[in-house]
Structure formats: C-alpha cells, structure tokens
Amino acid sequence: MNEDISIRQFGTEALGTGLLVFFAVGVATISFGFQATGSSISAGIVCTALAFGFVLLVLAYALGPISGCNINPAVTIGFLFSGRMKLVTAIGYWIAQFVGAILGALLLYAMFSASPIYKKATVGLGTNGYGTHSLIHLKLGGAFLAEVVLTFLFVFVVLAVTSKGVTSPYAAPVAIGLALAVVHLIGIPLTGTSVNPARSFGPALIVGGDALKQVWLFIVAPLVGGIVAALVHRLTALGDEEIPEEMAEAGSEAD
C-alpha cells in the first residue's frame, strides 16, 4: 500500500470515529444524562439508537470509498480474521480509531462543559456499564455475553454486505446503519451498547471512575464478537471474499 494512501486512510478512520462519538454519544448524553426525553426511557433508547444508525450510515457513504469506514476496532478485527485485511493495516486502523474516539469525546466534553447544568459525575458522557450502571442492572457475565452477541450480529452484517458477491454494494451503508440501530435498541437497556471498543474507551477515559474501571469489558467482548462473526462468515460466505473496490480500496492490502 502506498504510504500516502495509508496516512489518508488512517486519518479518515480517526475522523470517522471521532464524528461517530461526537454526534451519536452526544445524543446519548443529551437523552439520558441531560434527561432531554423526560421520564420516557423508551424515547431515549429510540433516539439514541437512530442517532448511532444514521450517523454510521452517512459516514459509510462519505468515508467508505477512502478507508472502508470501519471506525470500529471490532469491525477491523472482523476484516482481519476473515482474511480481508492485513495485520499491519489493522494495527494502523486500531490506533487511528482510538485516537479519533478520544478526540471526539474531548470535543464533546468541551462543548457540554459550557453548559451550567453539566456535571461530569451526574450527567456523564454516554459511557457503557454493567451492574448498577445498567438500566436493568445486568451483571458482568450477562453484559459480556450481550456485547459478544450484539457485536457478532453487527460485524456479521458488515462482512456480509461488503462481500464481493453482493449485487448492490452501494446499498451496504443502509444495511450497516440499520444493523447498528437494531443492536442499540436492545443493547441500550443492557449495557448502553458498545459493540465498538473505541467508542467506549474515549468517553470512559474522560469520565473516569467506574466507567473507566469497567471499560475493559467493552473492549474485550466486542473484539470477541468480531472474531466470531468473521469465523462464521468464512463458513457461510460464497465465492471470493474480497471487499468491493468501490467500498474499501484501503482495507484489503498493505504492502
């Protein structure tokens, strides 16, 4: 892979992850931290789920031709284990994604800090959690299982709709965005929904406390889910497993 192209791709992954955190985690914070949806938990769940889905959908169209728009370490590990990305590229993507998530969380925190009613300890920053930090008080084991299964579905869909045999690759962002929205609809009451280690780490680093202590689960479990999705996809996929060139020129090889 050309060095200039690599830098462009890594920068795109950082940008995309930062924008996902700023907008989608921002909606989560407004909905649940600031209680913008009032006493309706369901309204907050739906608003947040749609925010994550819609943001990823538009970013996939905008950034997909440059980097494949992984903007999620679990998706990247899925591409790696499915044989559609080399390790050196994956490492670069992971670094870019975590850096982007931290910058996005910092920008979001700086904006919210300008509000006189914002308090980090009570409003938070859309972090994930289990136990008392889960809406249904889901314990560690259940939270780990939930994140593995939710990430499996999401990454499996990403791998399926970006396969070479897909008849309409330009529809892939719609399926991917809808998949992310769906996993959030069930996942928010369980853990707040991570399925994205970078998305979890950035806000947790800013908030600290229990959010940072528990973030290991939201790094490990999604990566496990991504690996399982890749292995299942390799068993079920038909034909050549290259990413469509128009979707991800950068994600397939690194010389």
Side-chain angles (χ1 to χ4, degrees):
M1 183 185 298
N2 182 278
E3 184 177 356
D4 292 336
I5 298 296
S6 299
I7 293 173
R8 183 177 177 222
Q9 292 159 358
F10 298 152
T12 299
E13 283 295 303
L15 173 64
T17 311
L19 290 173
L20 178 73
V21 169
F22 182 86
F23 285 100
V25 175
V27 171
T29 306
I30 291 170
S31 297
F32 293 101
F34 284 102
Q35 301 294 320
T37 54
S39 60
S40 176
I41 295 176
S42 296
I45 292 172
V46 172
C47 287
T48 303
L50 291 177
F52 273 93
F54 286 158
V55 170
L56 183 58
L57 189 158
V58 297
L59 288 176
Y61 276 117
L63 306 180
I66 303 173
S67 71
C69 193
N70 287 198
I71 61 176
N72 181 339
V75 171
T76 298
I77 206 169
F79 280 122
L80 176 66
F81 274 76
S82 64
R84 292 159 60 178
M85 180 180 288
K86 291 189 176 180
L87 180 59
V88 64
T89 306
I91 291 173
Y93 272 38
W94 287 328
I95 293 172
Q97 289 156 1
F98 276 101
V99 169
I102 293 170
L103 293 176
L106 283 170
L107 184 61
L108 192 62
Y109 176 68
M111 182 183 71
F112 284 145
S113 295
S115 168
I117 63 172
Y118 179 77
K119 296 184 185 301
K120 184 170 65 174
T122 55
V123 177
L125 203 63
T127 54
N128 303 115
Y130 54 86
T132 58
H133 300 288
S134 161
L135 283 176
I136 65 169
H137 290 220
L138 193 65
K139 294 182 179 179
L140 187 153
F144 194 96
L145 178 61
E147 285 294 329
V148 170
V149 175
L150 295 177
T151 309
F152 165 80
L153 172 63
F154 176 63
V155 176
F156 185 77
V157 170
V158 172
L159 293 173
V161 301
T162 57
S163 297
K164 189 175 182 179
V166 174
T167 56
S168 181
Y170 292 106
V174 177
I176 293 169
L178 289 175
L180 188 61
V182 167
V183 299
H184 274 79
L185 286 173
I186 185 174
I188 290 172
L190 304 177
T191 63
T193 311
S194 172
V195 303
N196 185 335
R199 165 264 183 271
S200 295
F201 183 76
L205 186 64
I206 305 302
V207 173
D210 287 346
L212 192 56
K213 291 178 182 177
Q214 295 186 354
V215 77
W216 68 269
L217 185 148
F218 303 105
I219 294 175
V220 176
L223 292 178
V224 171
I227 293 172
V228 174
L231 297 179
V232 173
H233 177 68
R234 294 191 73 157
L235 291 174
T236 59
L238 297 175
D240 193 349
E241 283 309 301
E242 293 181 7
I243 306 171
E245 293 181 3
E246 63 270 27
M247 290 297 299
E249 179 186 12
S252 57
E253 292 188 3
D255 293 333

